[in-house]
């Protein structure tokens, strides 16, 4: 038995039940077929001796004409839906399939962890800022193409734009110069910020986490349960204001103890412009120990 390469790719997409592909992900899936010269035990007829980026694009056009693939309108370019796939990804899954470095963050992550009873109107996702994204991309491509001698003509891992609605859900994409090291969500390909980092983001960007009062409520209800994770995440972040806010909340407000919390007082700065709520005016209340305006 034998088949043409296009037939093998169609069977591959059907067998894997892939819901969407990019040029990069499709090439990664097809590479084993090109190397082995067969798929599912059947030889490929007229196996091309040269199959790079140009040939991949031509194959995608062929698959579009055969109504196997269709452009995915939730992304700005370079993403195709597999029309016959029965697997329908959620918004967060679709985004991670397109941007492997993106993860659920802020109020959306708080909801996932059960830290809030609020249902965010939009899905909050974070991806590394462009320079770091490029570094991560280069490392990923080097790993994925380690057996290739010529990467110049191979499809690159591209930073693809996400529209404001994905799978009929509003999406807000954030960029971070210091992104989290996300953790996979069981039973899905989506990823999420570790819970300690979620508490850090509450302190760093409370406006994206329901506002400072909601953040304080979440700390009051949940920080004791997650104290080791919170302390480790605050310790790891290079942000004095996060350490000062965390120190005040955990130490003075909640009377929680941990040896590392006391060390954060070194980040307190007399005469500085630090506020518990970055969005509000200073007010008249002040923590002498943490040298921060308690403007909530």
């Amino acid at each position: 038995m034998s088949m043409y390469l296009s037939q093998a790719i169609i069977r591959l997409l059907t067998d894997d039940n892939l819901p969407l592909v990019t040029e990069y992900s499709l090439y990664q899936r097809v590479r084993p077929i090109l190397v082995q010269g067969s798929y599912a035990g059947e030889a490929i007829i007229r196996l091309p001796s040269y199959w790079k980026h140009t040939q991949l694009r031509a194959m995608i056009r062929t698959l579009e004409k055969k109504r196997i693939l269709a452009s995915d309108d939730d992304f700005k370019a370079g993403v195709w839906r597999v029309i016959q796939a029965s697997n329908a990804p959620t918004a967060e899954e679709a985004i991670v399939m397109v941007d492997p470095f993106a993860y659920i963050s802020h109020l959306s992550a708080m909801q996932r962890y059960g830290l809030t009873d609020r249902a965010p109107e939009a899905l909050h996702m974070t991806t590394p800022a462009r320079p770091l994204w490029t570094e991560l991309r280069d490392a990923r491509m080097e790993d994925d193409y380690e057996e290739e001698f010529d990467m110049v003509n191979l499809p690159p891992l591209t930073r693809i734009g996400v529209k404001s609605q994905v799978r009929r859900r509003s999406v807000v994409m954030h960029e971070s110069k210091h992104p989290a090291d996300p953790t996979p969500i069981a039973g899905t390909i989506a990823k999420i910020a570790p819970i300690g980092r979620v508490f850090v983001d509450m302190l760093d960007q409370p406006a994206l986490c329901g506002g400072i009062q909601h953040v304080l409520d979440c700390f009051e209800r949940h920080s004791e349960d997650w104290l080791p994770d919170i302390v480790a995440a605050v310790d790891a972040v290079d942000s004095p204001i996060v350490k000062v806010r965390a120190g005040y909340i955990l130490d003075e407000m909640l009377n929680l103890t941990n040896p590392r919390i006391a060390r954060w007082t070194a980040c307190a700065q007399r005469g500085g412009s630090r506020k518990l709520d970055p969005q509000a005016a200073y007010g008249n209340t002040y923590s002498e120990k943490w040298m921060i305006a308690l403007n909530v």
Side-chain angles (χ1 to χ4, degrees), residues 1-214:
M1 298 291 290
S2 58
M3 68 180 99
Y4 291 103
L5 181 59
S6 61
Q7 294 173 311
I9 294 174
I10 292 170
R11 282 189 54 182
L12 169 70
L13 294 173
T14 301
D15 292 345
D16 287 357
N17 198 25
L18 290 174
L20 57 84
V21 294
T22 63
E23 289 182 350
Y24 189 80
S25 67
L26 182 59
Y27 186 82
Q28 295 301 319
R29 295 279 186 165
V30 174
R31 278 178 73 200
I33 298 176
L34 301 171
V35 171
Q36 298 164 14
S38 64
Y39 179 72
E42 298 188 33
I44 305 301
I45 303 172
R46 298 177 188 171
L47 183 71
S49 58
Y50 185 87
W51 211 75
K52 302 296 182 181
H53 201 178
T54 300
Q55 289 72 28
L56 172 67
R57 286 180 168 174
M59 179 60 71
I60 288 175
R61 289 194 294 271
T62 296
L63 296 176
E64 286 181 306
K65 290 177 183 178
K66 291 177 179 288
R67 295 197 54 78
I68 303 300
L69 299 181
S71 293
D72 193 315
D73 294 334
D74 289 346
F75 300 92
K76 294 182 180 179
V79 183
W80 290 267
R81 290 185 297 106
V82 181
I83 294 174
Q84 298 300 324
S86 61
N87 181 18
T90 61
E92 52 266 40
E93 288 175 323
I95 292 169
V96 169
M97 293 179 79
V98 170
D99 182 351
F101 311 123
Y103 59 90
I104 301 169
S105 63
H106 300 95
L107 193 60
S108 296
M110 293 166 64
Q111 182 191 37
R112 285 282 186 140
Y113 282 117
L115 301 177
T116 177
D117 56 3
R118 296 188 182 184
E121 294 181 4
L123 170 65
H124 289 265
M125 300 283 292
T126 293
T127 192
R130 190 171 295 274
L132 178 57
W133 198 98
T134 301
E135 289 180 21
L136 295 172
R137 176 205 63 189
D138 292 347
R140 173 68 64 90
M141 288 182 62
E142 188 172 342
D143 286 343
D144 289 343
Y145 287 143
E146 62 179 346
E147 297 178 1
E148 298 281 359
F149 296 105
D150 177 21
M151 287 176 50
V152 175
N153 294 315
L154 296 177
L157 177 57
T158 305
R159 187 181 173 103
I160 294 172
V162 178
K163 292 187 178 179
S164 59
Q165 278 205 337
V166 176
R167 301 305 184 259
R168 299 182 179 180
R169 185 170 183 189
S170 296
V171 173
V172 179
M173 292 294 298
H174 306 282
E175 292 189 7
S176 175
K177 294 180 179 179
H178 306 285
D181 183 11
T183 184
I185 299 174
T188 174
I189 64 168
K191 292 177 285 187
I192 190 169
I195 193 161
R197 175 56 185 265
V198 175
F199 278 92
V200 165
D201 289 339
M202 288 188 219
L203 301 174
D204 187 40
Q205 298 174 298
L208 300 178
C209 300
I212 190 63
Q213 189 58 62
H214 187 56

